[in-house]
């Protein structure tokens, strides 16, 4: 899956940034420059892809013990 940062601007100027194709916290790093350019964040909703990276790391940890 390709990595995409989707920016939507509403009719009143509100913006929404959605990342796709990133695993774990990688999405935060990738979208950080966009969020800084847009201004103050008012809300944040994590996607399932964000938690997939954490679940894999947790599973790897359990397997190594």
């Amino acid at each position: 899956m390709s990595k995409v940062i989707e920016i939507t601007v509403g009719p009143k100027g509100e913006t929404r940034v959605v990342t796709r194709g990133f695993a774990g916290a990688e999405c935060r790093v990738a979208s950080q420059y966009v969020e800084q350019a847009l201004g103050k964040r008012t809300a944040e909703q994590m996607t399932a892809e964000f938690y997939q990276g954490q679940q894999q790391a947790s599973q790897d940890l359990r397997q190594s013990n």
Side-chain angles (χ1 to χ4, degrees):
M1 177 180 224
S2 62
K3 296 178 179 178
V4 175
I5 299 175
E6 181 181 300
I7 304 166
T8 305
V9 180
K12 294 182 180 177
E14 72 278 8
T15 57
R16 180 176 182 194
V17 177
V18 177
T19 59
R20 301 186 198 287
F22 294 91
E26 182 185 23
C27 60
R28 282 183 161 166
V29 174
S31 65
Q32 183 178 12
Y33 75 94
V34 174
E35 291 181 19
Q36 288 175 346
L38 294 174
K40 184 179 177 183
R41 179 189 317 162
T42 57
E44 181 177 38
Q45 183 177 0
M46 301 305 178
T47 64
E49 293 170 328
F50 178 83
Y51 296 106
Q52 284 177 344
Q54 292 178 347
Q55 289 175 346
Q56 182 64 42
S58 177
Q59 289 173 353
D60 291 345
L61 242 175
R62 280 186 264 158
Q63 291 174 348
S64 67
N65 290 332

